[in-house]
Amino acid sequence: MRPPVAVTLKLDQRELPAQVFERYAARQDTRKARAAKAEAAWESFGKPGRDPARLGGVAALLARNGDWIPHLKLAQLNNHWDQVVGPVIAQHSHVVSLREGTLIIGTESQVWATQLTYLIPQLTDTIRRNLEGLDIREIRVAGPSAGYTRRWARRR
């Protein structure tokens, strides 16, 4: 037959009930503290400083504290690309990436790449004027890759 756990662990059996009771008492104190905090929150409901923040304000705060501003500006440029280059050119081109100050614009053909190459000075001015905080030092225009061919099959 095995000895009791208290004997094996060399615990004083007279102190065991007090130790168990202390654990329950400590848990009860935390319950009381949580209840008091909840009550205080209800009492201060609607007072200045207690109103919930709008999602846009929280997102702006996160963007300012993080490294998100260039990514948000690039997304804004991509979303309003037709306002920067015009609707016709926007149908045939798109923003590819921004790396180390170099904005890369992709086009669907070499003809559109040539057209956009001539517009680089105006694009640079427009982007710098409308999207402050987006550090663009150079703009490169890339046509389709060498292996890309577009076939227009015409059936008669």
Side-chain angles (χ1 to χ4, degrees):
M1 188 163 147
R2 290 186 168 172
V5 174
V7 173
T8 306
L9 296 176
K10 299 178 183 172
L11 299 174
D12 187 5
Q13 291 184 357
R14 293 172 292 181
E15 293 179 7
L16 286 178
Q19 290 173 352
V20 171
F21 179 74
E22 285 174 2
R23 289 184 193 148
Y24 284 118
R27 284 180 34 194
Q28 183 62 27
D29 287 343
T30 58
R31 285 185 192 152
K32 286 180 183 176
R34 280 194 308 246
K37 281 184 181 180
E39 184 66 29
W42 275 108
E43 289 174 2
S44 66
F45 183 75
K47 293 182 181 175
R50 288 282 306 165
D51 293 332
R54 293 188 179 270
L55 182 61
V58 173
L61 179 68
L62 287 173
R64 271 185 265 133
N65 291 341
D67 224 4
W68 294 6
I69 289 181
H71 299 289
L72 294 172
K73 293 289 184 178
L74 186 62
Q76 187 178 6
L77 176 63
N78 206 9
N79 289 339
H80 300 289
W81 184 241
D82 61 336
Q83 295 173 6
V84 175
V85 295
V88 176
I89 296 176
Q91 289 178 348
H92 304 283
S93 64
H94 62 281
V95 176
V96 175
S97 67
L98 176 65
R99 290 192 183 127
E100 299 174 3
T102 302
L103 178 68
I104 299 173
I105 301 168
T107 61
E108 67 179 27
S109 70
Q110 288 298 330
V111 174
W112 288 107
T114 303
Q115 179 72 24
L116 270 171
T117 303
Y118 292 126
L119 293 176
I120 285 178
Q122 289 109 351
L123 289 176
T124 306
D125 291 340
T126 303
I127 291 170
R128 285 186 181 153
R129 186 175 54 247
N130 295 332
L131 289 173
E132 296 175 12
L134 191 61
D135 182 31
I136 296 178
R137 291 179 233 121
E138 179 184 6
I139 296 178
R140 290 188 185 167
V141 180
S145 62
Y148 176 80
T149 58
R150 186 175 206 170
R151 297 183 185 178
W152 296 92
R154 204 167 156 176
R155 295 184 185 197
R156 295 185 183 180

